[in-house]
Amino acid sequence: MKFGIIKERKNPPDRRVVFSPDELARIKQLYQGITIKVESSDVRIFTDDQYKNMGLEVANNISDCDVFFGVKEVPTEYLIPNKSYFFFSHTLKKQPHNRQLLQALLEKNIDFYDHETLVNAHNHRLIGFGKYAGIVGTYNSIRAFGTKFELFKLPKAETLSGKEALIAHLKRLILPPLKFVITGTGKVGSGVKEVLDAIKIKEVSVENYLTKNYAQAVYTQIDVLDYNKRKDRKVIDFNDFVNNPQEYESDFERFTKVSDIYITGHFHANAAPKILTQEMLQDKDCKIKVVADISCDVNGPIACTLRSSTIAEPLYGYWPSENKEVDVFHPAAIVVMAVDNLPCELPKDASEGFGDMFMEHVIPAFFNGDKDGILQRAKMTEKGKLTPRFSYLQDYVDGK
């Protein structure tokens, strides 16, 4: 079997990679008879020489490989027919801008596995960059607050060497008694929590967060049933919310009245209620000053996320009464941070963490007959057709 690590060709350039040089060397050591080639790149966080120094072949042409690993979408003209590919396609929610990509994967008879579809038997994702999005998003939320109120200046995360440097900068700050509310307890939420705990911001219960004042900065991390309630006010369980989202409405307003910074780390299904509405933001009792929308669903559950922002220009202002974008320093503006590729700001840490997960959960499936069904569940296309698990995308492929 021949593995190929492809060069990232999407713009803006992404410096992340699925496997670091150390991880590829470890794969070769653990699994005999495997060949690995790395496509030469002047973009990725690890240089060609770093791969070569680990005894790995680096080449301009790796088309003789069987399985290709990348991070972002591969431009259709670079897809090689009759091969296998792993990358983030951003097609699972029928995103219009990537329809042609999925069509090309089918036309070229490619076996395609999206990183998002690599799940266990309980449908829980096995790999992702979410934790690093949470880490950078939290840093950016504090940076945004300091910028807006001219209290302190933090360098951009992308200029720092990694997570430890980022945390070191935050530890130097003396923060006012801010209240942070975080939605979501998955991988993104774990990254948020890691940073807030590292800089000694105190975690408090939902009840205390809503009712008490503190002399120090605090945070509460809330899950679906904390920020949604049934319209009939019955209290059931998480499964009821998943199965009957139309019976629920947002209960987030109670948090808007006491929070300074809102950090999103939730997964939001299309049928679920909006979380932070325009009406909540317009309410005179709303105290939110910064919204760090890590989930970044434009026109989604967070009303002030009018557009995604960029690493180059991560912040914009939102004027609730006019429901429009304004300058960050507009006196009535809430600051929005909605960068949709946050892990790119920590490319080394994110790549190493991603590769560790891939190594643990996915690589063994290539050599044990896929005994846990990981590859089978993840495969989206095969022999020019959608697999049954992803047949719901057929109308999307057909342009309907």
Side-chain angles (χ1 to χ4, degrees), residues 189-202:
S190 73
V192 176
K193 180 174 172 56
E194 182 175 333
V195 173
L196 295 180
D197 289 346
I199 62 173
K200 302 293 191 288
I201 293 182
K202 183 181 179 181

Side-chain angles (χ1 to χ4, degrees), residues 282-307:
Q282 289 175 344
D283 191 282
K284 59 179 174 55
D285 292 328
C286 178
K287 292 188 175 177
I288 292 176
K289 300 167 185 69
V290 173
V291 175
D293 190 1
I294 298 170
S295 300
C296 194
D297 289 321
V298 178
N299 299 318
I302 309 302
C304 54
T305 304
L306 301 178
R307 61 174 176 86

